[in-house]
Amino acid sequence: MDRIELNRAKVFKGEFSPPPDKSISHRSVIFSSLAKGTSTVRNFLRAEDTFSTMNAFRSLGIEIIDEGATLTIHGKGVRGLSEPGDVIDCGNSGTTIRLLSGVLAGNPFFSVLTGDRSLRTRPMGRVIRPLSLMGAHIIARDDSRYPPLAIKGGNLSPITYVMPVASAQVKSALLLAGLYTEGDMEIVEPVRSRDHSEKMLPAFGADITVDGLRITVRGGRELRALDTLVPGDFSSAAFFIVAALLIPGAEITAKNVGLNPTRTGLLEVLKNMGASIGIGNVRDVSGEPVADLFCKGRADLKGVSISGEIVPSLIDEFPILCVAAALAEGTTVIRGAEELRVKESDRIKTMTAELRKMGVAIEEYPDGLSIRGTGKLHGAEVESHGDHRIAMSMAVAALAAGGRTVINGASAVDISFPGFFDLIGRLSS
Ligand code: S3P
């Protein structure tokens, strides 16, 4: 299944529920493992990334019973983890390695974190520096830049840390490390990034206050067990929302989609491009807004400029936004998005290379790209670069392109969305 062939979609119709939210699934396993007592996680994302987190906590001595969609986690308390007997493999998952670094920094034992070839090129200085200031001993490859990381934690002191980049992974690592201090730890974000940790941790009993971009965590407290129901992942639904906008006659309903405002910048951008996306049945699931979305194609989209504060709220949606921009009228300019260069692939470089193969005029900037909408794409042989979101974005481009497209490395979708191609098949037949 590593090579997939797709043709232009003649129909694209139906209802679906996206897979469970990846960020919330990771966090529910981490927080439940650190809570005292038995927690459950319903609608847990069963994908490679979240299994990396589950396996990591098992190797730290936590019993996790996996009964399909529900996990039962016998947490042992903030200080209940034990030294792993082997290196922990975080696979492709940046969220696993960075959040775990924060937890392990607080634990007085030795651990080593590594990952796949992509993860071993992703910057870790951003977590190592503040955790070291708190008192953890961490060394890593290439002058403490890249995994593997070796950690000997314990005896952390709270600090005030002004974050140089907006990153929910760094923020969450520091919040977790803050649980292991005796005092008030302050984290200041440059721009708000996804806020699942600061919303979920208080529900587990953590003492956290948020004042604008300043987050304070008071250490020395226990977490209590909690049952979490994971909403559907907006970032996964995004591929189908954009596909529907780009395919003439398309009509889809995405059900049970998480709409946390720190995640949904893409909806605002698509609206500015001229799309109209219906939102109904808004409700609350585990403290997160959830709704059903309705989209129709083909929308007459117009190019837009994107930069500044909105960027973190659509950081994972830029690859699919590039596809929408390629089929819009006029030029779309994305700036201030240099973080895209350090994701599962360098997404500025990979999207530029792959969309060019389909006939799109794109220019790369150090911090973004400009895409001249062509109104049409032609099929080509493209690569996922081992990046799930590139594979899925190119699949959507293929559905809207003339001719046949081959996607090499298509199994990368299993990182966050197993069954992605089956769903494409169901909606387009
Ligand atoms: C995530 C945060 C984001 C995002 C990633 C998931 C999280 O990364 O791109 O897919 O769950 O905290 P950064 O924190 O590096 O921006």
Side-chain angles (χ1 to χ4, degrees):
M1 229 268 292
D2 213 35
R3 182 185 156 94
I4 287 266
E5 286 187 17
L6 289 171
N7 291 304
R8 184 196 285 280
K10 294 195 185 68
V11 286
F12 201 67
K13 275 201 165 72
E15 268 186 22
F16 73 100
S17 296
D21 189 277
K22 182 155 82 70
S23 291
I24 296 174
S25 292
H26 281 298
R27 285 163 174 76
S28 60
V29 169
I30 299 171
F31 304 160
S32 300
S33 296
L34 298 180
K36 243 199 174 110
T38 302
S39 297
T40 61
V41 185
R42 280 183 294 140
N43 198 35
F44 175 72
L45 172 64
R46 305 186 65 77
E48 286 179 12
D49 257 20
T50 41
F51 284 145
S52 291
T53 293
M54 187 168 96
N55 290 333
F57 278 89
R58 281 179 169 159
S59 68
L60 291 163
I62 302 300
E63 189 191 355
I64 301 178
I65 299 160
D66 176 7
E67 288 164 320
T70 302
L71 302 182
T72 303
I73 302 177
H74 296 289
K76 291 186 176 171
V78 171
R79 296 189 186 270
L81 302 178
S82 42
E83 185 172 82
D86 202 351
V87 167
I88 296 177
D89 184 358
C90 302
N92 190 247
S93 175
T95 306
T96 307
I97 199 165
R98 295 204 178 106
L99 271 60
L100 204 49
S101 301
V103 171
L104 294 172
N107 278 278
F109 53 68
F110 175 72
S111 51
V112 179
L113 303 179
T114 192
D116 70 7
R117 205 208 301 212
S118 154
L119 195 67
R120 280 182 278 116
T121 67
R122 297 187 63 190
M124 293 299 145
R126 53 182 62 193
V127 284
I128 295 175
R129 275 187 296 275
L131 293 173
S132 302
L133 287 173
M134 293 176 75
H137 298 285
I138 308 180
I139 51 172
R141 192 172 65 77
D142 197 8
D143 214 8
S144 284
R145 285 192 181 83
Y146 303 110
L149 266 66
I151 304 178
K152 174 82 167 64
N155 280 328
L156 298 186
S157 310
I159 57 169
T160 295
Y161 190 66
V162 179
M163 290 173 53
V165 279
S167 162
Q169 292 175 354
V170 175
K171 171 175 63 179
S172 304
L174 297 180
L175 284 172
L176 286 162
L179 299 176
Y180 292 89
T181 69
E182 299 293 330
D184 286 7
M185 163 103 180
E186 272 185 13
I187 303 155
V188 185
E189 293 193 271
V191 177
R192 166 140 314 122
S193 62
R194 66 188 65 190
D195 63 0
H196 302 301
S197 295
E198 51 277 41
K199 285 181 85 173
M200 290 173 74
L201 273 168
F204 280 89
D207 188 348
I208 290 179
T209 49
V210 179
D211 176 13
L213 296 173
R214 184 178 297 266
I215 304 153
T216 307
V217 52
R218 272 162 218 98
R221 281 184 157 228
E222 267 307 342
L223 300 186
R224 54 172 180 261
L226 185 73
D227 297 326
T228 305
L229 174 60
V230 181
D233 198 323
F234 177 79
S235 298
S236 297
F239 298 102
F240 291 83
I241 293 169
V242 172
L245 295 175
L246 299 181
I247 298 168
E251 227 179 289
I252 62 135
T253 302
K255 302 194 75 138
N256 188 32
V257 185
L259 289 186
N260 179 310
T262 61
R263 296 281 301 277
T264 52
L266 179 74
L267 289 182
E268 197 178 320
V269 171
L270 290 173
K271 200 166 139 205
N272 291 340
M273 292 175 86
S276 128
I277 296 165
I279 299 178
N281 192 16
V282 183
R283 56 210 188 271
D284 178 281
V285 173
S286 298
E288 296 278 347
V290 164
D292 300 340
L293 303 181
F294 318 96
C295 310
K296 278 186 181 183
R298 173 175 173 168
D300 289 323
L301 301 180
K302 301 212 172 9
V304 284
S305 288
I306 302 152
S307 65
E309 294 205 347
I310 194 169
V311 168
S313 70
L314 71 153
I315 195 68
D316 290 341
E317 285 65 69
F318 279 103
I320 190 61
L321 177 64
C322 290
V323 177
L327 285 158
E329 191 192 309
T331 301
T332 293
V333 180
I334 297 165
R335 300 306 297 251
E338 54 278 332
E339 275 297 297
L340 294 178
R341 294 215 178 263
V342 292
K343 294 296 178 187
E344 288 83 329
S345 68
D346 173 344
R347 288 180 174 161
I348 294 178
K349 194 163 136 200
T350 48
M351 282 311 288
T352 300
E354 300 315 313
L355 280 178
R356 270 187 188 152
K357 293 178 186 166
M358 300 182 88
V360 183
I362 307 196
E363 205 186 318
E364 241 188 84
Y365 306 128
D367 64 338
L369 9 80
S370 104
I371 303 164
R372 188 132 44 84
T374 58
K376 61 181 191 327
L377 299 171
H378 61 72
E381 180 160 349
V382 299
E383 312 293 323
S384 74
H385 300 264
D387 182 334
H388 55 134
R389 300 201 201 279
I390 303 298
M392 293 187 275
S393 300
M394 296 316 293
V396 172
L399 296 178
R404 190 175 58 117
T405 296
V406 173
I407 302 171
N408 294 315
S411 63
V413 302
D414 292 344
I415 292 295
S416 63
F417 201 152
F420 172 83
F421 288 105
D422 294 338
L423 181 56
I424 293 258
R426 173 161 78 76
L427 297 177
S428 59
S429 61

